[in-house]
Amino acid sequence: MDNNMLFREAEETDVDEVVKMLANDPLGKTRENYIHPLPDQYLKAFEAIRSDPNNELIVAVWENQIIGVLQITFTPYITHQGGWRATIEGVRTSEYVRGKGVGTNMITWAIERAKTRNCHLVQLTTDKTRKDALRFYEKLGFQATHEGLKLKL
């Protein structure tokens, strides 16, 4: 991809395309409900993200098309001497641009964004079944230093 890629905060009109990307993979198909009109909970979640100064839903745009999305959350911690962390979640790229460097550009952008917010650490998780994603993040310097656990409610 050329250098004309733009990163910006998502707008309400982008939510449909964001959900479409989230639903367009094996795990997303089981978790998301991409129908028209979109269920209200997506717009409610978008409004909650947009109104929180420590959450950003970012889209990557190229030639006026949304080609990627990620959410970045900034969290203060009492550990690390009261430092801030950035957590990257919900990373997806459009199917037609995969393997063209979009994901690398998105994560690089998110790391730089974390630096501007004075974060001392960037963290992310990926599902254990996403072997390609794990290799992708490791190539970017991320290390699996912790064992993550979840409890579905």
Side-chain angles (χ1 to χ4, degrees):
M1 306 288 318
D2 60 30
N3 291 333
N4 293 324
M5 194 179 322
L6 165 76
F7 297 96
R8 64 169 172 78
E9 288 196 57
E11 300 168 0
E12 187 173 322
T13 55
D14 300 328
V15 175
D16 185 81
E17 190 63 29
V18 166
V19 174
K20 181 179 178 183
M21 280 189 287
L22 293 173
N24 188 22
D25 78 15
L27 290 176
K29 283 179 172 59
T30 67
R31 298 188 295 217
E32 306 307 334
N33 189 14
Y34 182 64
I35 59 172
H36 289 280
L38 282 177
D40 286 341
Q41 64 261 31
Y42 287 111
L43 291 177
K44 288 178 183 175
F46 172 75
E47 286 302 323
I49 293 165
R50 181 166 60 180
S51 68
D52 182 345
N54 290 318
N55 264 296
E56 297 176 0
L57 185 65
I58 303 299
V59 291
V61 180
W62 183 67
E63 294 187 351
N64 297 317
Q65 296 290 318
I66 295 173
I67 58 172
V69 64
L70 64 79
Q71 182 172 339
I72 186 167
T73 303
F74 305 100
T75 309
Y77 280 79
I78 212 70
T79 61
H80 292 269
Q81 302 174 36
W84 283 71
R85 295 180 191 190
T87 303
I88 301 170
E89 294 284 342
V91 179
R92 298 290 190 287
T93 58
S94 293
E95 200 168 24
Y96 71 94
V97 297
R98 289 186 188 142
K100 296 183 178 176
V102 174
T104 299
N105 287 339
M106 288 171 47
I107 298 299
T108 301
W109 182 92
I111 292 167
E112 290 304 312
R113 178 70 180 119
K115 289 177 183 177
T116 68
R117 290 284 303 254
N118 296 314
C119 294
H120 71 90
L121 180 86
V122 176
Q123 60 190 19
L124 54 79
T125 62
T126 189
D127 192 282
K128 288 182 178 187
T129 64
R130 295 181 189 270
K131 303 294 185 195
D132 290 340
L134 182 59
R135 282 190 295 277
F136 167 74
Y137 293 125
E138 287 173 339
K139 280 176 61 175
L140 292 173
F142 288 86
Q143 299 174 353
T145 60
H146 290 67
E147 186 71 25
L149 304 168
K150 291 184 179 183
L151 174 65
K152 289 208 177 210
L153 305 177

